Amino acid sequence: MHAVNAALHRTRLKAAALLFMLSLALVAVLYTLLVLNHDPNLVSLTERLLPMSLGHPLGTDHLGRDVLTRLLLGAQQTVGYGLLALLIAVVVGVPIGIWAGIKGGLIDRIMMRIADSFLSFPDTIVAIVLSGLLGAGIENLLLAIVVVKWVSYARLARSTVISEREKDYILMARINGLRTGRIMRKHLLPHVIGHVVVLASLDLGKIILLISSLSYIGLGAQPPAPEWGAMLNDARPYFQSNPTLMIYPGLMIVLVVLVSNLLGDYCRDKFDVTKEVQS
């Protein structure tokens, strides 16, 4: 009975996590379609640091900008940029990994040595170094994240392909004259997708945290962009007098990262990925 209740509780948590992400996406989309009453970058020094009111449900910041509007637009930027970086990393890494796994030989060794060189250092350190070399800006930050993250998907795809390529159905496909590209798309890609979805759902929270943290130190989104990490940086001088200016974006980052991890658990159960594929 206890096990059943625990399983039901986990299911409710995952359902709540999915509902939260869908609601956040819906609000972000509605913002662009309906446009709220406040310009997120409109400076009004006569309305700076106002408390919560009907006109400003979460008050205003040190430049008189509506906090709620900037938080909602920040959902588009922080989560949207995170999804974009994740998508590019998957699109780049998975085909490379599948190709290296099915070809083997010199191609495999070269690609995996490149991947190993990136994995020798923590993701955050590499992203900071690359962002510093490329210069501050969200585009350069996204490029740095893609360079860091494609490696994981390439290795995962390669490991899955290596475990599948010597099985009978692949040998029969080769005997029947199927080309390598068709074997990759029809037979190997479906085995890779489940593992990739699980890793991507877990990586989303890490990427969002990385974007926010690097924007906080000035290497990501630049003012006046309403990105959550940049909002935290803007609010630092006012933490003692108006702590909510930091609490709101910080809370959004924590919630989104937590929900992303719950969705990762859901995807792992859904695709029955119980253990990491070993290379």
Side-chain angles (χ1 to χ4, degrees):
M1 186 67 182
H2 178 72
V4 173
N5 290 334
L8 182 60
H9 180 67
R10 287 195 299 270
T11 301
R12 289 174 177 172
L13 277 178
K14 294 167 186 174
L18 181 60
L19 180 62
F20 176 83
M21 289 298 282
L22 291 175
S23 301
L24 186 63
L26 179 61
V27 169
V29 170
L30 287 178
Y31 175 84
T32 57
L33 295 178
L34 302 178
V35 184
L36 297 183
N37 294 327
H38 307 284
D39 183 346
N41 298 321
L42 179 63
V43 175
S44 178
L45 296 180
T46 59
E47 298 183 340
R48 63 191 304 268
L49 301 176
L50 292 180
M52 291 186 292
S53 64
L54 290 177
H56 303 283
L58 296 182
T60 60
D61 66 4
H62 61 291
L63 294 177
R65 298 171 298 191
D66 185 69
V67 173
L68 177 60
T69 302
R70 291 177 63 79
L71 278 177
L72 293 178
L73 190 57
Q76 285 185 333
Q77 298 214 1
T78 306
V79 181
Y81 286 139
L83 288 171
L84 178 61
L86 181 62
L87 178 62
I88 297 174
V90 170
V91 170
V92 171
V94 170
I96 292 175
I98 293 177
W99 186 262
I102 199 170
K103 284 295 185 180
L106 181 61
I107 294 177
D108 183 28
R109 290 196 296 272
I110 291 175
M111 297 309 303
M112 289 307 103
R113 295 300 75 78
I114 294 174
D116 290 341
S117 65
F118 281 100
L119 293 175
S120 301
F121 303 95
D123 291 353
T124 304
I125 300 299
V126 177
I128 290 175
V129 171
L130 291 175
S131 297
L133 292 174
L134 295 171
I138 192 63
E139 296 83 3
N140 292 335
L141 175 57
L142 293 181
L143 178 59
I145 292 174
V146 171
V147 171
V148 169
K149 286 295 182 182
W150 74 269
V151 176
S152 301
Y153 298 96
R155 288 184 62 87
L156 179 61
R158 170 185 175 270
S159 300
T160 305
V161 168
I162 288 176
S163 68
E164 296 289 329
R165 69 183 182 187
E166 301 301 330
K167 292 185 177 179
D168 291 343
Y169 72 96
I170 298 294
L171 296 177
M172 290 300 299
R174 290 183 182 277
I175 292 173
N176 288 331
L178 264 68
R179 299 191 178 197
T180 301
R182 184 167 177 79
I183 293 175
M184 290 169 58
R185 293 192 304 271
K186 185 175 181 180
H187 296 290
L188 294 176
L189 187 59
H191 289 277
V192 174
I193 287 177
H195 294 85
V196 168
V197 168
V198 173
L199 180 59
S201 60
L202 293 172
D203 256 351
L204 178 59
K206 298 177 184 178
I207 292 175
I208 289 173
L209 194 59
L210 190 57
I211 290 175
S212 299
S213 59
L214 293 188
S215 295
Y216 177 77
I217 64 175
L219 291 177
Q222 300 298 302
E227 194 278 327
W228 291 337
M231 291 176 65
L232 282 173
N233 187 36
D234 286 344
R236 277 190 307 160
Y238 305 93
F239 179 68
Q240 291 186 343
S241 59
N242 289 79
T244 54
L245 292 181
M246 291 192 75
I247 290 174
Y248 291 140
L251 184 61
M252 292 301 296
I253 294 170
V254 170
L255 285 175
V256 170
V257 172
L258 177 62
V259 166
S260 298
N261 291 335
L262 290 174
L263 289 178
D265 292 338
Y266 170 79
C267 292
R268 182 176 56 199
D269 297 339
K270 182 74 174 177
F271 289 95
D272 194 26
V273 179
T274 56
K275 61 182 179 179
E276 182 182 357
V277 179
Q278 301 296 322
S279 59

Short mmCIF file of all heavy atoms in Angstrom, two decimals, residues 50-118:
data_model
loop_
_atom_site.label_atom_id
_atom_site.label_comp_id
_atom_site.label_asym_id
_atom_site.label_seq_id
_atom_site.Cartn_x
_atom_site.Cartn_y
_atom_site.Cartn_z
N LEU A 50 7.79 51.00 -6.89
CA LEU A 50 6.42 51.02 -6.36
C LEU A 50 6.06 49.65 -5.79
O LEU A 50 6.50 48.61 -6.29
CB LEU A 50 5.43 51.40 -7.46
CG LEU A 50 5.48 52.82 -8.01
CD1 LEU A 50 4.43 53.00 -9.09
CD2 LEU A 50 5.29 53.84 -6.89
N PRO A 51 5.23 49.60 -4.74
CA PRO A 51 4.78 48.30 -4.21
C PRO A 51 3.72 47.68 -5.11
O PRO A 51 3.31 48.28 -6.12
CB PRO A 51 4.20 48.68 -2.85
CG PRO A 51 3.73 50.09 -3.02
CD PRO A 51 4.72 50.73 -3.96
N MET A 52 3.27 46.49 -4.74
CA MET A 52 2.23 45.81 -5.51
C MET A 52 0.94 46.63 -5.53
O MET A 52 0.55 47.21 -4.50
CB MET A 52 1.96 44.42 -4.92
CG MET A 52 3.10 43.45 -5.10
SD MET A 52 2.71 41.76 -4.54
CE MET A 52 2.60 42.05 -2.77
N SER A 53 0.30 46.65 -6.71
CA SER A 53 -0.95 47.38 -6.87
C SER A 53 -1.71 46.76 -8.03
O SER A 53 -1.22 45.85 -8.71
CB SER A 53 -0.68 48.86 -7.12
OG SER A 53 0.01 49.04 -8.34
N LEU A 54 -2.93 47.28 -8.28
CA LEU A 54 -3.70 46.77 -9.40
C LEU A 54 -3.01 47.08 -10.73
O LEU A 54 -3.03 46.28 -11.66
CB LEU A 54 -5.11 47.38 -9.39
CG LEU A 54 -6.03 46.92 -8.25
CD1 LEU A 54 -7.36 47.66 -8.32
CD2 LEU A 54 -6.25 45.41 -8.33
N GLY A 55 -2.41 48.25 -10.82
CA GLY A 55 -1.72 48.62 -12.05
C GLY A 55 -0.42 47.88 -12.24
O GLY A 55 -0.01 47.61 -13.38
N HIS A 56 0.25 47.54 -11.13
CA HIS A 56 1.52 46.81 -11.16
C HIS A 56 1.44 45.67 -10.14
O HIS A 56 1.82 45.84 -8.98
CB HIS A 56 2.70 47.74 -10.83
CG HIS A 56 2.82 48.93 -11.74
ND1 HIS A 56 3.33 48.83 -13.02
CD2 HIS A 56 2.45 50.23 -11.57
CE1 HIS A 56 3.31 50.03 -13.58
NE2 HIS A 56 2.79 50.89 -12.74
N PRO A 57 0.91 44.51 -10.55
CA PRO A 57 0.65 43.42 -9.59
C PRO A 57 1.87 42.99 -8.78
O PRO A 57 1.72 42.54 -7.65
CB PRO A 57 0.16 42.28 -10.50
CG PRO A 57 -0.40 42.97 -11.69
CD PRO A 57 0.45 44.17 -11.91
N LEU A 58 3.08 43.10 -9.36
CA LEU A 58 4.30 42.75 -8.61
C LEU A 58 5.18 43.97 -8.37
O LEU A 58 6.35 43.83 -8.01
CB LEU A 58 5.10 41.68 -9.38
CG LEU A 58 4.41 40.32 -9.55
CD1 LEU A 58 5.32 39.34 -10.28
CD2 LEU A 58 3.99 39.74 -8.20
N GLY A 59 4.62 45.16 -8.54
CA GLY A 59 5.37 46.37 -8.31
C GLY A 59 6.24 46.75 -9.51
O GLY A 59 6.11 46.19 -10.60
N THR A 60 7.13 47.71 -9.28
CA THR A 60 8.05 48.16 -10.32
C THR A 60 9.48 48.07 -9.82
O THR A 60 9.74 47.99 -8.62
CB THR A 60 7.75 49.63 -10.73
OG1 THR A 60 7.91 50.47 -9.58
CG2 THR A 60 6.34 49.76 -11.26
N ASP A 61 10.42 48.09 -10.76
CA ASP A 61 11.83 48.00 -10.38
C ASP A 61 12.44 49.39 -10.20
O ASP A 61 11.73 50.40 -10.16
CB ASP A 61 12.61 47.17 -11.40
CG ASP A 61 12.68 47.84 -12.77
OD1 ASP A 61 12.20 48.99 -12.90
OD2 ASP A 61 13.22 47.22 -13.70
N HIS A 62 13.76 49.46 -10.11
CA HIS A 62 14.45 50.72 -9.81
C HIS A 62 14.37 51.73 -10.95
O HIS A 62 14.71 52.90 -10.75
CB HIS A 62 15.92 50.44 -9.50
CG HIS A 62 16.66 49.79 -10.62
ND1 HIS A 62 16.41 48.50 -11.03
CD2 HIS A 62 17.64 50.25 -11.45
CE1 HIS A 62 17.21 48.19 -12.05
NE2 HIS A 62 17.96 49.24 -12.32
N LEU A 63 13.91 51.30 -12.13
CA LEU A 63 13.73 52.22 -13.25
C LEU A 63 12.26 52.42 -13.59
O LEU A 63 11.94 52.97 -14.64
CB LEU A 63 14.48 51.70 -14.49
CG LEU A 63 16.01 51.66 -14.38
CD1 LEU A 63 16.63 51.06 -15.63
CD2 LEU A 63 16.57 53.06 -14.12
N GLY A 64 11.39 51.95 -12.72
CA GLY A 64 9.96 52.14 -12.94
C GLY A 64 9.34 51.18 -13.92
O GLY A 64 8.20 51.39 -14.37
N ARG A 65 10.04 50.09 -14.27
CA ARG A 65 9.51 49.10 -15.21
C ARG A 65 8.67 48.07 -14.47
O ARG A 65 9.01 47.67 -13.36
CB ARG A 65 10.67 48.43 -15.96
CG ARG A 65 11.49 49.40 -16.78
CD ARG A 65 12.74 48.77 -17.34
NE ARG A 65 13.65 48.31 -16.29
CZ ARG A 65 14.90 47.91 -16.51
NH1 ARG A 65 15.38 47.90 -17.73
NH2 ARG A 65 15.65 47.53 -15.50
N ASP A 66 7.59 47.64 -15.11
CA ASP A 66 6.68 46.69 -14.48
C ASP A 66 7.35 45.33 -14.32
O ASP A 66 7.81 44.72 -15.30
CB ASP A 66 5.41 46.55 -15.33
CG ASP A 66 4.38 45.66 -14.66
OD1 ASP A 66 3.82 46.09 -13.64
OD2 ASP A 66 4.16 44.54 -15.16
N VAL A 67 7.41 44.81 -13.10
CA VAL A 67 8.14 43.57 -12.79
C VAL A 67 7.43 42.37 -13.41
O VAL A 67 8.08 41.47 -13.96
CB VAL A 67 8.30 43.40 -11.27
CG1 VAL A 67 8.90 42.04 -10.95
CG2 VAL A 67 9.17 44.51 -10.69
N LEU A 68 6.10 42.32 -13.32
CA LEU A 68 5.37 41.17 -13.86
C LEU A 68 5.59 41.04 -15.36
O LEU A 68 5.82 39.93 -15.88
CB LEU A 68 3.87 41.31 -13.56
CG LEU A 68 2.97 40.22 -14.14
CD1 LEU A 68 3.37 38.85 -13.59
CD2 LEU A 68 1.51 40.51 -13.84
N THR A 69 5.53 42.16 -16.07
CA THR A 69 5.74 42.13 -17.51
C THR A 69 7.13 41.60 -17.84
O THR A 69 7.31 40.78 -18.76
CB THR A 69 5.58 43.54 -18.10
OG1 THR A 69 4.28 44.03 -17.78
CG2 THR A 69 5.73 43.52 -19.61
N ARG A 70 8.13 42.06 -17.11
CA ARG A 70 9.50 41.61 -17.36
C ARG A 70 9.69 40.14 -16.99
O ARG A 70 10.45 39.43 -17.65
CB ARG A 70 10.48 42.50 -16.60
CG ARG A 70 10.55 43.91 -17.17
CD ARG A 70 11.46 44.82 -16.38
NE ARG A 70 12.85 44.36 -16.42
CZ ARG A 70 13.67 44.56 -17.43
NH1 ARG A 70 13.26 45.20 -18.52
NH2 ARG A 70 14.93 44.13 -17.37
N LEU A 71 9.01 39.68 -15.96
CA LEU A 71 9.10 38.25 -15.61
C LEU A 71 8.51 37.38 -16.71
O LEU A 71 9.07 36.34 -17.07
CB LEU A 71 8.37 37.98 -14.29
CG LEU A 71 9.11 38.26 -13.00
CD1 LEU A 71 8.19 37.99 -11.81
CD2 LEU A 71 10.37 37.43 -12.89
N LEU A 72 7.36 37.79 -17.25
CA LEU A 72 6.72 36.99 -18.30
C LEU A 72 7.55 36.99 -19.58
O LEU A 72 7.70 35.96 -20.24
CB LEU A 72 5.32 37.52 -18.57
CG LEU A 72 4.31 37.36 -17.43
CD1 LEU A 72 2.97 37.98 -17.80
CD2 LEU A 72 4.13 35.89 -17.07
N LEU A 73 8.08 38.15 -19.94
CA LEU A 73 8.95 38.20 -21.11
C LEU A 73 10.25 37.44 -20.84
O LEU A 73 10.83 36.84 -21.75
CB LEU A 73 9.24 39.64 -21.50
CG LEU A 73 9.95 39.85 -22.84
CD1 LEU A 73 9.13 39.23 -23.97
CD2 LEU A 73 10.19 41.31 -23.11
N GLY A 74 10.68 37.45 -19.58
CA GLY A 74 11.86 36.68 -19.21
C GLY A 74 11.67 35.19 -19.39
O GLY A 74 12.63 34.46 -19.68
N ALA A 75 10.44 34.73 -19.22
CA ALA A 75 10.15 33.30 -19.47
C ALA A 75 10.42 32.97 -20.93
O ALA A 75 10.96 31.90 -21.26
CB ALA A 75 8.70 32.98 -19.11
N GLN A 76 10.04 33.88 -21.83
CA GLN A 76 10.33 33.67 -23.24
C GLN A 76 11.83 33.61 -23.49
O GLN A 76 12.32 32.75 -24.22
CB GLN A 76 9.74 34.81 -24.07
CG GLN A 76 8.24 34.76 -24.25
CD GLN A 76 7.77 35.86 -25.17
OE1 GLN A 76 8.40 36.92 -25.28
NE2 GLN A 76 6.66 35.64 -25.83
N GLN A 77 12.56 34.52 -22.88
CA GLN A 77 13.98 34.62 -23.17
C GLN A 77 14.77 33.50 -22.49
O GLN A 77 15.53 32.79 -23.15
CB GLN A 77 14.51 35.99 -22.71
CG GLN A 77 13.84 37.14 -23.43
CD GLN A 77 14.79 38.29 -23.66
OE1 GLN A 77 15.95 38.26 -23.30
NE2 GLN A 77 14.29 39.35 -24.26
N THR A 78 14.60 33.33 -21.19
CA THR A 78 15.39 32.34 -20.47
C THR A 78 15.06 30.92 -20.92
O THR A 78 15.95 30.15 -21.29
CB THR A 78 15.17 32.48 -18.96
OG1 THR A 78 15.42 33.83 -18.56
CG2 THR A 78 16.11 31.56 -18.19
N VAL A 79 13.78 30.56 -20.88
CA VAL A 79 13.39 29.21 -21.28
C VAL A 79 13.50 29.04 -22.79
O VAL A 79 13.94 27.98 -23.27
CB VAL A 79 11.94 28.91 -20.80
CG1 VAL A 79 11.53 27.50 -21.20
CG2 VAL A 79 11.83 29.08 -19.30
N GLY A 80 13.13 30.07 -23.54
CA GLY A 80 13.21 29.97 -25.00
C GLY A 80 14.63 29.79 -25.49
O GLY A 80 14.91 28.93 -26.33
N TYR A 81 15.56 30.57 -24.96
CA TYR A 81 16.95 30.42 -25.33
C TYR A 81 17.49 29.06 -24.90
O TYR A 81 18.30 28.44 -25.60
CB TYR A 81 17.80 31.53 -24.70
CG TYR A 81 17.62 32.88 -25.35
CD1 TYR A 81 17.55 34.04 -24.59
CD2 TYR A 81 17.55 33.00 -26.74
CE1 TYR A 81 17.39 35.28 -25.18
CE2 TYR A 81 17.38 34.23 -27.34
CZ TYR A 81 17.31 35.38 -26.56
OH TYR A 81 17.15 36.60 -27.15
N GLY A 82 17.04 28.59 -23.73
CA GLY A 82 17.47 27.27 -23.27
C GLY A 82 17.01 26.16 -24.21
O GLY A 82 17.79 25.26 -24.55
N LEU A 83 15.75 26.24 -24.64
CA LEU A 83 15.23 25.24 -25.58
C LEU A 83 15.95 25.32 -26.93
O LEU A 83 16.23 24.29 -27.54
CB LEU A 83 13.73 25.45 -25.77
CG LEU A 83 12.83 25.04 -24.60
CD1 LEU A 83 11.41 25.51 -24.84
CD2 LEU A 83 12.86 23.53 -24.39
N LEU A 84 16.24 26.54 -27.37
CA LEU A 84 16.94 26.70 -28.65
C LEU A 84 18.33 26.10 -28.60
O LEU A 84 18.74 25.35 -29.50
CB LEU A 84 17.02 28.18 -29.00
CG LEU A 84 17.77 28.53 -30.30
CD1 LEU A 84 17.09 27.88 -31.50
CD2 LEU A 84 17.86 30.05 -30.48
N ALA A 85 19.07 26.40 -27.53
CA ALA A 85 20.42 25.83 -27.39
C ALA A 85 20.37 24.31 -27.30
O ALA A 85 21.20 23.61 -27.90
CB ALA A 85 21.10 26.42 -26.16
N LEU A 86 19.39 23.80 -26.57
CA LEU A 86 19.25 22.35 -26.43
C LEU A 86 18.93 21.69 -27.77
O LEU A 86 19.51 20.66 -28.13
CB LEU A 86 18.15 22.05 -25.41
CG LEU A 86 17.87 20.58 -25.10
CD1 LEU A 86 19.09 19.92 -24.49
CD2 LEU A 86 16.68 20.46 -24.16
N LEU A 87 18.02 22.30 -28.54
CA LEU A 87 17.64 21.75 -29.84
C LEU A 87 18.84 21.70 -30.79
O LEU A 87 19.06 20.70 -31.47
CB LEU A 87 16.51 22.58 -30.44
CG LEU A 87 16.03 22.16 -31.83
CD1 LEU A 87 15.46 20.76 -31.80
CD2 LEU A 87 14.99 23.15 -32.35
N ILE A 88 19.60 22.79 -30.83
CA ILE A 88 20.76 22.82 -31.71
C ILE A 88 21.79 21.77 -31.30
O ILE A 88 22.38 21.08 -32.14
CB ILE A 88 21.39 24.22 -31.72
CG1 ILE A 88 20.40 25.24 -32.30
CG2 ILE A 88 22.68 24.24 -32.55
CD1 ILE A 88 20.87 26.67 -32.21
N ALA A 89 22.02 21.63 -29.99
CA ALA A 89 22.98 20.63 -29.51
C ALA A 89 22.55 19.22 -29.90
O ALA A 89 23.39 18.39 -30.29
CB ALA A 89 23.12 20.74 -27.99
N VAL A 90 21.25 18.93 -29.81
CA VAL A 90 20.74 17.61 -30.19
C VAL A 90 20.89 17.39 -31.69
O VAL A 90 21.35 16.33 -32.14
CB VAL A 90 19.27 17.46 -29.76
CG1 VAL A 90 18.66 16.19 -30.35
CG2 VAL A 90 19.16 17.42 -28.24
N VAL A 91 20.50 18.40 -32.48
CA VAL A 91 20.57 18.27 -33.94
C VAL A 91 22.00 18.09 -34.41
O VAL A 91 22.27 17.37 -35.38
CB VAL A 91 19.92 19.51 -34.60
CG1 VAL A 91 20.18 19.53 -36.09
CG2 VAL A 91 18.41 19.52 -34.34
N VAL A 92 22.95 18.72 -33.72
CA VAL A 92 24.36 18.58 -34.10
C VAL A 92 24.94 17.27 -33.58
O VAL A 92 25.62 16.53 -34.31
CB VAL A 92 25.18 19.78 -33.58
CG1 VAL A 92 26.68 19.53 -33.77
CG2 VAL A 92 24.76 21.05 -34.29
N GLY A 93 24.68 16.96 -32.31
CA GLY A 93 25.35 15.84 -31.67
C GLY A 93 24.85 14.47 -32.08
O GLY A 93 25.65 13.55 -32.28
N VAL A 94 23.54 14.30 -32.21
CA VAL A 94 22.98 12.97 -32.48
C VAL A 94 23.43 12.42 -33.83
O VAL A 94 23.90 11.27 -33.91
CB VAL A 94 21.44 13.00 -32.37
CG1 VAL A 94 20.84 11.71 -32.89
CG2 VAL A 94 21.04 13.21 -30.92
N PRO A 95 23.33 13.17 -34.95
CA PRO A 95 23.81 12.60 -36.23
C PRO A 95 25.30 12.27 -36.20
O PRO A 95 25.72 11.25 -36.77
CB PRO A 95 23.50 13.71 -37.24
CG PRO A 95 22.41 14.51 -36.62
CD PRO A 95 22.68 14.47 -35.16
N ILE A 96 26.10 13.11 -35.55
CA ILE A 96 27.53 12.83 -35.45
C ILE A 96 27.77 11.54 -34.69
O ILE A 96 28.58 10.69 -35.09
CB ILE A 96 28.27 14.01 -34.79
CG1 ILE A 96 28.26 15.22 -35.71
CG2 ILE A 96 29.71 13.62 -34.44
CD1 ILE A 96 28.86 16.47 -35.10
N GLY A 97 27.06 11.36 -33.58
CA GLY A 97 27.23 10.16 -32.78
C GLY A 97 26.78 8.91 -33.51
O GLY A 97 27.45 7.87 -33.44
N ILE A 98 25.64 8.99 -34.20
CA ILE A 98 25.16 7.83 -34.95
C ILE A 98 26.14 7.48 -36.07
O ILE A 98 26.47 6.30 -36.28
CB ILE A 98 23.76 8.12 -35.53
CG1 ILE A 98 22.73 8.26 -34.41
CG2 ILE A 98 23.34 7.00 -36.47
CD1 ILE A 98 21.34 8.61 -34.90
N TRP A 99 26.62 8.50 -36.77
CA TRP A 99 27.56 8.26 -37.87
C TRP A 99 28.85 7.63 -37.36
O TRP A 99 29.38 6.68 -37.95
CB TRP A 99 27.84 9.56 -38.60
CG TRP A 99 28.68 9.39 -39.83
CD1 TRP A 99 30.02 9.59 -39.95
CD2 TRP A 99 28.23 8.96 -41.12
NE1 TRP A 99 30.44 9.32 -41.23
CE2 TRP A 99 29.35 8.93 -41.97
CE3 TRP A 99 26.99 8.60 -41.63
CZ2 TRP A 99 29.27 8.55 -43.30
CZ3 TRP A 99 26.91 8.23 -42.96
CH2 TRP A 99 28.03 8.21 -43.79
N ALA A 100 29.39 8.18 -36.26
CA ALA A 100 30.62 7.63 -35.70
C ALA A 100 30.42 6.20 -35.21
O ALA A 100 31.28 5.34 -35.38
CB ALA A 100 31.11 8.52 -34.55
N GLY A 101 29.25 5.93 -34.62
CA GLY A 101 29.00 4.59 -34.11
C GLY A 101 28.85 3.55 -35.19
O GLY A 101 29.32 2.42 -35.05
N ILE A 102 28.19 3.90 -36.29
CA ILE A 102 27.96 2.91 -37.34
C ILE A 102 29.17 2.75 -38.25
O ILE A 102 29.41 1.66 -38.79
CB ILE A 102 26.70 3.30 -38.17
CG1 ILE A 102 26.18 2.08 -38.93
CG2 ILE A 102 26.99 4.44 -39.11
CD1 ILE A 102 24.83 2.29 -39.56
N LYS A 103 29.96 3.81 -38.42
CA LYS A 103 31.14 3.72 -39.27
C LYS A 103 32.32 3.11 -38.54
O LYS A 103 33.07 2.30 -39.10
CB LYS A 103 31.51 5.11 -39.78
CG LYS A 103 30.61 5.63 -40.90
CD LYS A 103 30.75 4.76 -42.14
CE LYS A 103 29.96 5.33 -43.30
NZ LYS A 103 30.08 4.51 -44.52
N GLY A 104 32.52 3.52 -37.27
CA GLY A 104 33.67 3.02 -36.52
C GLY A 104 34.99 3.49 -37.12
O GLY A 104 35.04 4.45 -37.89
N GLY A 105 36.05 2.80 -36.77
CA GLY A 105 37.35 3.07 -37.38
C GLY A 105 37.87 4.45 -37.06
O GLY A 105 37.68 4.99 -35.96
N LEU A 106 38.53 5.05 -38.03
CA LEU A 106 39.20 6.34 -37.85
C LEU A 106 38.21 7.45 -37.52
O LEU A 106 38.48 8.30 -36.66
CB LEU A 106 40.00 6.68 -39.10
CG LEU A 106 40.79 8.00 -39.05
CD1 LEU A 106 41.83 7.95 -37.94
CD2 LEU A 106 41.45 8.27 -40.40
N ILE A 107 37.05 7.46 -38.21
CA ILE A 107 36.05 8.51 -37.96
C ILE A 107 35.60 8.47 -36.51
O ILE A 107 35.51 9.50 -35.83
CB ILE A 107 34.84 8.33 -38.90
CG1 ILE A 107 35.26 8.56 -40.35
CG2 ILE A 107 33.71 9.27 -38.52
CD1 ILE A 107 34.15 8.34 -41.35
N ASP A 108 35.34 7.27 -36.04
CA ASP A 108 34.89 7.10 -34.66
C ASP A 108 35.95 7.60 -33.69
O ASP A 108 35.66 8.32 -32.73
CB ASP A 108 34.56 5.63 -34.41
CG ASP A 108 34.02 5.39 -33.01
OD1 ASP A 108 33.41 6.32 -32.45
OD2 ASP A 108 34.21 4.29 -32.48
N ARG A 109 37.19 7.23 -33.92
CA ARG A 109 38.26 7.61 -32.99
C ARG A 109 38.47 9.13 -32.97
O ARG A 109 38.64 9.73 -31.91
CB ARG A 109 39.56 6.90 -33.37
CG ARG A 109 39.55 5.40 -33.10
CD ARG A 109 40.95 4.83 -33.12
NE ARG A 109 41.56 4.95 -34.46
CZ ARG A 109 41.43 4.05 -35.42
NH1 ARG A 109 40.69 2.96 -35.22
NH2 ARG A 109 42.02 4.22 -36.60
N ILE A 110 38.42 9.75 -34.14
CA ILE A 110 38.62 11.20 -34.21
C ILE A 110 37.49 11.93 -33.47
O ILE A 110 37.74 12.82 -32.64
CB ILE A 110 38.68 11.67 -35.67
CG1 ILE A 110 39.96 11.16 -36.33
CG2 ILE A 110 38.62 13.19 -35.75
CD1 ILE A 110 40.05 11.46 -37.82
N MET A 111 36.23 11.54 -33.76
CA MET A 111 35.10 12.24 -33.14
C MET A 111 35.09 12.05 -31.64
O MET A 111 34.81 12.99 -30.88
CB MET A 111 33.79 11.74 -33.76
CG MET A 111 33.63 12.02 -35.24
SD MET A 111 33.95 13.76 -35.68
CE MET A 111 32.78 14.59 -34.63
N MET A 112 35.40 10.86 -31.18
CA MET A 112 35.36 10.62 -29.75
C MET A 112 36.52 11.26 -29.01
O MET A 112 36.40 11.63 -27.85
CB MET A 112 35.31 9.11 -29.47
CG MET A 112 33.98 8.49 -29.85
SD MET A 112 32.55 9.34 -29.08
CE MET A 112 31.89 10.29 -30.46
N ARG A 113 37.66 11.42 -29.67
CA ARG A 113 38.76 12.15 -29.02
C ARG A 113 38.41 13.63 -28.88
O ARG A 113 38.76 14.26 -27.88
CB ARG A 113 40.05 11.97 -29.81
CG ARG A 113 40.61 10.57 -29.87
CD ARG A 113 40.96 9.95 -28.52
NE ARG A 113 39.82 9.53 -27.73
CZ ARG A 113 39.14 8.40 -27.94
NH1 ARG A 113 39.46 7.59 -28.93
NH2 ARG A 113 38.14 8.09 -27.14
N ILE A 114 37.73 14.17 -29.89
CA ILE A 114 37.25 15.55 -29.78
C ILE A 114 36.26 15.67 -28.63
O ILE A 114 36.34 16.61 -27.82
CB ILE A 114 36.60 16.00 -31.10
CG1 ILE A 114 37.65 16.06 -32.22
CG2 ILE A 114 35.93 17.36 -30.94
CD1 ILE A 114 37.07 16.37 -33.58
N ALA A 115 35.34 14.70 -28.55
CA ALA A 115 34.36 14.72 -27.47
C ALA A 115 35.04 14.60 -26.11
O ALA A 115 34.69 15.30 -25.15
CB ALA A 115 33.35 13.60 -27.66
N ASP A 116 36.02 13.71 -25.99
CA ASP A 116 36.72 13.52 -24.71
C ASP A 116 37.44 14.79 -24.28
O ASP A 116 37.53 15.07 -23.07
CB ASP A 116 37.72 12.37 -24.83
CG ASP A 116 37.04 11.01 -24.95
OD1 ASP A 116 35.85 10.93 -24.60
OD2 ASP A 116 37.69 10.05 -25.42
N SER A 117 37.96 15.55 -25.25
CA SER A 117 38.66 16.79 -24.89
C SER A 117 37.71 17.79 -24.25
O SER A 117 38.11 18.53 -23.34
CB SER A 117 39.32 17.39 -26.13
OG SER A 117 38.34 17.82 -27.07
N PHE A 118 36.45 17.83 -24.70
CA PHE A 118 35.48 18.73 -24.08
C PHE A 118 35.05 18.21 -22.71
O PHE A 118 34.81 18.99 -21.79
CB PHE A 118 34.25 18.88 -24.97
CG PHE A 118 34.44 19.82 -26.12
CD1 PHE A 118 34.72 19.35 -27.40
CD2 PHE A 118 34.36 21.19 -25.94
CE1 PHE A 118 34.90 20.21 -28.46
CE2 PHE A 118 34.54 22.07 -27.00
CZ PHE A 118 34.82 21.57 -28.26
#
